[in-house]
Amino acid sequence: MLKIGNIEMKNNVVLAPMAGVCNPAFRLIAKEFGTGLVCAEMVSDKAILHGNKRTMEMLFVDEREKPLSLQIFGGDRASLVEAAKIVDKQTNADIIDINMGCPVPKVTKCDAGARWLLDPNKIYEMVSAVTEAVDKPVTVKMRIGWDDEHVFAVENARAVERAGGSAVSVHGRTREQLYTGKANWDIIKEVKEAVSIPVIGNGDVFSPEDAKRMLEHTGVDGVMIGRGALGNPWMLYRTVHYLTHGELLPDPTPKEKMEIAILHMDRLVSLKGESTAVREMRKHMAWYMKGLPGSARIKDNIMEETGRDNMVAVLNQYIDSLPEDAHKPISVKWSDDEAAAQ
């Protein structure tokens, strides 16, 4: 069981806060597939304070998703605190997460995201200011370091703990690595041994067996799954079941994958309107179709579709065209290069 502050999850599997992915449509599917905690994509503190319509929509939480963590980022203490207060009092999120792992330049140039990894004192200052201003548990998601020469994961996690943080999630790569190379689980283990607050491990978890190995190797309290769940929420369900019962459930069939892909799209349509939802679903459809037999021949059609009904027709025609022996469970494996590209 994973417990963060006074929020208790039903299991220790966590959906990572992926930008452009973790909106309510996908988060709800992840929750329905058994995930203990789902995390929303990061939102800028200044965007929250400006209160524009799109940002406020990003703060929406469906009650069925709970418990849920809303992630914010920023480099200025005053604006970060004020944004956290809005999340604390004006949303029904359960946890406020602070991003100090995002590697993209437009974030780090604002002294936010992974930039904090270079300064444990700044981490303490910022996190303590937020924890003192809000009632909800405050957590931090970080990487192990900025680059190989600046790996301060243990010092940074201790700063989070001293500042009143209720948990820390650690991605086992540096900012310089982005999503390439291998995640360093040894450093995640060092963090777990150095603090008493819950630690959630993240990085290179693409199968239920990976999740179990991470838990056993690092001793972490929870395992966070990100890219492994893209187009494959069954990964979440299968991981929960495997960790609970020691049994590996079968992968989904092509038809099952398409049914959930359509459900995902329909929920996006309800949230964002048909035109925006269908455009956004193109990348998700490519992920849902990864590894399916003969899928390459219809991907071009999918990328050109602009209407929901036409997209569904393409998917149904694809399923109907499959030979009988193709209607079997499909296992999705990410190569290092493919994973890095997501």
Side-chain angles (χ1 to χ4, degrees):
M1 198 69 67
L2 175 63
K3 187 173 183 180
I4 297 175
N6 61 345
I7 308 299
E8 190 168 302
M9 274 49 82
K10 62 183 180 181
N11 58 61
N12 60 353
V13 175
V14 182
L15 175 69
M18 294 175 284
V21 173
C22 289
N23 52 50
F26 184 68
R27 297 193 313 249
L28 183 55
I29 288 172
K31 181 63 69 170
E32 291 168 341
F33 274 72
T35 312
L37 175 67
V38 295
C39 302
E41 58 187 309
M42 67 180 187
V43 186
S44 160
D45 57 351
K46 290 182 169 55
I48 293 173
L49 297 183
H50 289 154
N52 67 68
K53 183 174 181 291
R54 181 175 178 274
T55 299
M56 292 302 103
E57 289 172 351
M58 291 177 73
L59 299 182
F60 170 75
V61 178
D62 187 314
E63 280 293 316
R64 294 171 294 174
E65 301 177 72
K66 292 163 64 69
L68 176 138
S69 171
L70 264 176
Q71 187 181 77
I72 61 176
F73 74 94
D76 175 74
R77 181 171 64 177
S79 60
L80 190 70
V81 167
E82 290 307 308
K85 287 180 179 178
I86 291 174
V87 174
D88 189 46
K89 300 303 181 187
Q90 298 181 30
T91 79
N92 56 340
D94 301 280
I95 296 165
I96 301 171
D97 188 58
I98 300 174
N99 180 294
M100 53 180 263
C102 181
V104 301
K106 70 177 181 180
V107 172
T108 58
K109 285 179 180 177
C110 299
D111 201 24
R115 198 69 179 173
W116 293 20
L117 299 170
L118 293 166
D119 189 354
N121 291 328
K122 166 132 186 172
I123 293 169
Y124 175 79
E125 171 194 334
M126 300 288 272
V127 176
S128 61
V130 172
T131 58
E132 290 168 6
V134 302
D135 294 323
K136 291 177 179 175
V138 175
T139 61
V140 167
K141 184 172 191 291
M142 68 179 195
R143 286 173 175 255
I144 57 172
W146 181 260
D147 55 29
D148 288 342
E149 303 301 316
H150 301 86
V151 176
F152 306 142
V154 169
E155 297 95 319
N156 290 340
R158 284 174 172 161
V160 171
E161 183 175 39
R162 289 199 317 275
S166 295
V168 61
S169 301
V170 185
H171 182 169
R173 288 182 173 84
T174 64
R175 183 265 174 187
E176 186 178 59
Q177 281 182 276
L178 299 178
Y179 297 96
T180 63
K182 297 294 184 182
N184 191 324
W185 290 3
D186 290 337
I187 294 178
I188 297 176
K189 179 180 181 180
E190 291 174 12
V191 171
K192 172 56 187 171
E193 293 171 347
V195 297
S196 58
I197 58 175
V199 176
I200 299 168
N202 178 220
D204 290 350
V205 179
F206 294 107
S207 70
E209 298 97 320
D210 289 339
K212 185 176 182 181
R213 281 194 294 270
M214 172 178 273
L215 289 166
E216 291 175 345
H217 182 87
T218 65
V220 289
D221 304 276
V223 58
M224 180 175 279
I225 298 170
R227 292 166 292 146
L230 294 176
N232 188 24
W234 292 266
M235 162 62 180
L236 302 166
Y237 176 71
R238 295 176 69 240
T239 298
V240 171
H241 189 86
Y242 183 61
L243 295 179
T244 305
H245 302 288
E247 175 192 14
L248 271 176
L249 295 176
D251 286 294
T253 64
K255 183 177 181 181
E256 289 169 338
K257 296 198 79 170
M258 294 306 95
E259 287 172 347
I260 295 300
I262 292 169
L263 173 64
H264 187 168
M265 178 169 59
D266 285 343
R267 286 177 172 169
L268 266 184
V269 170
S270 296
L271 281 171
K272 301 187 176 188
E274 182 175 7
S275 178
T276 299
V278 172
R279 285 198 308 273
E280 189 170 313
M281 272 304 296
R282 291 170 182 167
K283 64 183 179 185
H284 289 281
M285 288 301 181
W287 292 328
Y288 277 109
M289 301 200 73
K290 178 176 171 56
L292 297 187
S295 60
R297 58 187 164 82
I298 70 162
K299 282 183 179 177
D300 289 343
N301 293 341
I302 287 173
M303 293 304 161
E304 295 174 359
E305 289 301 342
T306 58
R308 181 266 179 198
D309 290 346
N310 287 343
M311 181 81 83
V312 171
V314 169
L315 299 178
N316 286 337
Q317 288 168 10
Y318 162 69
I319 292 299
D320 291 343
S321 72
L322 290 177
E324 190 63 34
D325 62 358
H327 291 276
K328 58 185 179 181
I330 300 295
S331 176
V332 176
K333 300 295 182 184
W334 294 86
S335 71
D336 289 343
D337 289 343
E338 287 173 321
Q342 307 310 322

